[in-house]
Amino acid sequence: MTKAADLRQKDVAGVEAEIKDLQKAHFGLRMQKATQQLTNVRSLRITRRDIARAKTILAEKQAAK
C-alpha cells in the first residue's frame, strides 16, 4: 500500500514512475484473476486505489507549478 505522504515527498518524475509500476502490477493481478490464479482478490482494489492516489498527487504537483 502506497502512502500519500511518501508520494508527496517524491518529485513529478518519481510519482510518474510509481504510477507506471502500479499499473504494471495491476495488469499482472488482472491476468492472474483471469486465469483463476489470484487468491487475494482484494489486492486488485488496493492497487487500483493506489493508482488513483498517485494520480491525484501528480495532478496536485502539476497544478502547483
Side-chain angles (χ1 to χ4, degrees), residues 7-24:
L7 288 172
R8 284 195 169 89
Q9 291 176 354
K10 295 182 179 183
D11 59 342
V12 173
V15 176
E16 287 174 345
E18 184 73 24
I19 291 171
K20 196 171 187 179
D21 291 342
L22 286 168
Q23 286 175 333
K24 283 183 182 179

Side-chain angles (χ1 to χ4, degrees), residues 3-64:
K3 298 283 185 181
D6 297 338
L7 288 172
R8 284 195 169 89
Q9 291 176 354
K10 295 182 179 183
D11 59 342
V12 173
V15 176
E16 287 174 345
E18 184 73 24
I19 291 171
K20 196 171 187 179
D21 291 342
L22 286 168
Q23 286 175 333
K24 283 183 182 179
H26 187 68
F27 179 77
L29 290 171
R30 285 186 3 239
M31 290 302 109
Q32 286 181 10
K33 184 178 183 238
T35 58
Q36 298 179 351
Q37 296 175 344
L38 186 64
T39 56
N40 184 8
V41 185
R42 185 169 181 262
S43 59
L44 280 169
R45 183 185 338 172
I46 292 169
T47 309
R48 191 172 60 241
R49 288 183 180 180
D50 284 345
I51 292 168
R53 186 177 298 116
K55 284 185 176 183
T56 301
I57 292 172
L58 179 63
E60 288 173 1
K61 286 183 175 289
Q62 289 174 339

